[in-house]
Amino acid sequence: MAGKKRVRRTRAAKKGGHPFLVLLFFIALIMGSAYMTDRMTNAPDSEVAQNVTTIGHLFNDKEMQGLVPKEDQGTPESVKEKIKAAMDKVVTVQVKADDEEPAGSSVSSNEKKDGSQTMEKGKKVSFSLPSIVSKITGKEESHENTAAPSSLQGKPTEAASSAVSSTPSSTVSASSSAPAAPAAAAPSVKKDAGHSKAPAKQNAAPLKAVPAASPKPNTPSAVKGKLAVVIDDAGRDLASQHVYESLGIPLTLAVMPNQVHTRDAALSWHAHGLPVILHQPMESVSGIGMESKVILTSMSDEEIRSLLRSSLSQVPEAVGINNHQGSKATTDRHTMEVVMNELHHRHLFFFDSRTNSTTAADGAAASYGVPYVRNDLFVDNEADVAAISAMIREAAKRAQKYGTYVIIGHCRPKTAEAFRQMVPQLEKEGIQFVYVSSLAK
């Protein structure tokens, strides 16, 4: 046993790896390459991507402002459906003389069937950003090329057009028969406020004819006093507003934002050639009964600007603003300076409702060069026609004493009836009704 030689067994060398693992690696590599190639070849160019982003921002802005209703995502008219349909038209189609559609056109077949998008032969049809926005919001673009509102309005064109188009058929709509902004006879703080162009034609026809010119200030043979009247809280009671519109005298309407009839009130009043101002809710001392969206003294500068811009976008006809409540906000100098800075850039005046005996609005307005005028008297603190008539009579006496006087009434049935009864009497007595903007300094 000792003489036997031990035999060593050599172990087989290990292989480099399992063949299946190598195969899986190559399959994964091929699939990854195919995916990246597909992504690179089908990626949208920068222009289309930018258009998609711009459309998204525009739509979101309008939805936040309440100009575009939020719709159910499951309906065919959902936001995703609208954006997809609009993006199908982000091309320029050159229509040939024989009506042959060019190759590569992304215009859907449904669009061909729709007669509203019929294109003339030999003409180049371009789907611009405004038309895309109009498709998203569900509003048809105006058929006439009208100039944007004058610099005094300072409102985004798309906001104005969508807001005008949203007027229900139950009220006066802005159309070809709707007059321009207040004519030269209506005093205005802005230099060319009386010469703004008429709104673009809309698809819906007006339900009733309206005067083409604004009421002229009555000129009695012997003017004994000038009375400026502002009607607050418009946007809630259209019936009372129509009573004021029928008086045929210079009156200024203060329209509240975020109301059920905000757009109806502004459009109807503006169609009668009368000036509109924004009745902006502001913080009161008590904090009781304030609106849901209010300018607060605790807000940052940007929050105040954003809220004010949102309100103004709902009343693009506004030539100025006044405060709804606001007994606390109007005494805060910083808050008023932020408001006045915005009004300065928009060339709007500020009418102080004077809900507090002290105010910081006048000083802030002066520092920014914003025309300012202050209310002297509320005439309808009592809900009685006789009591309101007595207050209007008292205001007329003070107008005779001081030369000019500014009063505030509201869009309420009894207040409207009191003015209907008192206006003819006061005119006979030498009271001249004027626009509040004519007294702003």
Side-chain angles (χ1 to χ4, degrees), residues 349-363:
F349 73 89
F350 185 80
F351 173 53
D352 194 340
S353 299
R354 201 181 179 188
T355 54
N356 196 322
S357 57
T358 60
T359 182
D362 51 357

Side-chain angles (χ1 to χ4, degrees), residues 249-273:
I249 60 172
L251 297 171
T252 302
L253 188 73
V255 180
M256 292 187 67
N258 308 307
Q259 302 297 313
V260 64
H261 295 304
T262 293
R263 290 302 303 131
D264 303 340
L267 283 171
S268 179
W269 195 265
H270 182 68
H272 282 78

Side-chain angles (χ1 to χ4, degrees), residues 338-350:
V338 177
V339 171
M340 297 306 171
N341 181 268
E342 187 68 23
L343 299 186
H344 166 73
H345 292 296
R346 293 173 178 265
H347 305 286
L348 303 177
F349 73 89
F350 185 80

Side-chain angles (χ1 to χ4, degrees), residues 204-408:
L207 296 180
K208 61 180 181 179
V210 293
S214 60
K216 295 182 179 180
N218 57 313
T219 53
S221 55
V223 176
K224 297 180 180 180
K226 295 182 179 180
L227 191 61
V229 182
V230 176
I231 306 301
D232 272 359
D233 292 356
R236 295 172 171 174
D237 183 358
L238 289 177
S240 296
Q241 177 179 323
H242 295 329
V243 174
Y244 291 115
E245 292 170 347
S246 67
L247 296 180
I249 60 172
L251 297 171
T252 302
L253 188 73
V255 180
M256 292 187 67
N258 308 307
Q259 302 297 313
V260 64
H261 295 304
T262 293
R263 290 302 303 131
D264 303 340
L267 283 171
S268 179
W269 195 265
H270 182 68
H272 282 78
L274 295 163
V276 175
I277 62 176
L278 171 69
H279 195 37
Q280 176 61 49
M282 297 185 184
E283 184 177 6
S284 63
V285 173
S286 66
I288 300 174
M290 295 196 303
E291 299 294 316
S292 58
K293 295 182 179 181
V294 184
I295 290 180
L296 303 172
T297 56
S298 59
M299 286 181 169
S300 66
D301 293 7
E302 188 52 41
E303 287 175 327
I304 294 174
R305 292 180 187 276
S306 178
L307 182 57
L308 184 56
R309 289 168 184 170
S310 174
S311 297
L312 285 168
S313 70
Q314 298 175 48
V315 191
E317 300 83 2
V319 295
I321 80 167
N322 74 322
N323 54 293
H324 173 69
Q325 297 183 335
S327 55
K328 183 176 181 179
T330 54
T331 60
D332 186 77
R333 180 60 183 256
H334 180 73
T335 301
M336 287 295 96
E337 284 185 345
V338 177
V339 171
M340 297 306 171
N341 181 268
E342 187 68 23
L343 299 186
H344 166 73
H345 292 296
R346 293 173 178 265
H347 305 286
L348 303 177
F349 73 89
F350 185 80
F351 173 53
D352 194 340
S353 299
R354 201 181 179 188
T355 54
N356 196 322
S357 57
T358 60
T359 182
D362 51 357
S367 64
Y368 283 96
V370 174
Y372 174 89
V373 61
R374 184 187 299 186
N375 171 48
D376 293 315
L377 181 69
F378 287 93
V379 298
D380 54 354
N381 289 330
E382 295 185 38
D384 178 74
V385 174
I388 297 170
S389 298
M391 293 297 291
I392 297 173
R393 168 68 64 188
E394 178 61 26
K397 290 180 179 179
R398 296 182 186 182
Q400 294 175 345
K401 180 178 179 180
Y402 301 114
T404 61
Y405 209 67
V406 182
I407 62 175
I408 289 179

Side-chain angles (χ1 to χ4, degrees), residues 169-233:
S169 59
S170 61
T171 59
V172 178
S173 61
S175 65
S176 57
S177 63
S188 177
V189 174
K190 298 179 285 183
K191 294 181 180 179
D192 53 347
H195 303 285
S196 58
K197 296 185 179 179
K201 289 184 178 180
Q202 304 297 317
N203 293 333
L207 296 180
K208 61 180 181 179
V210 293
S214 60
K216 295 182 179 180
N218 57 313
T219 53
S221 55
V223 176
K224 297 180 180 180
K226 295 182 179 180
L227 191 61
V229 182
V230 176
I231 306 301
D232 272 359
D233 292 356

Side-chain angles (χ1 to χ4, degrees), residues 31-43:
M31 292 178 65
S33 301
Y35 175 76
M36 291 302 297
T37 303
D38 179 71
R39 294 290 294 175
M40 294 174 65
T41 55
N42 293 318

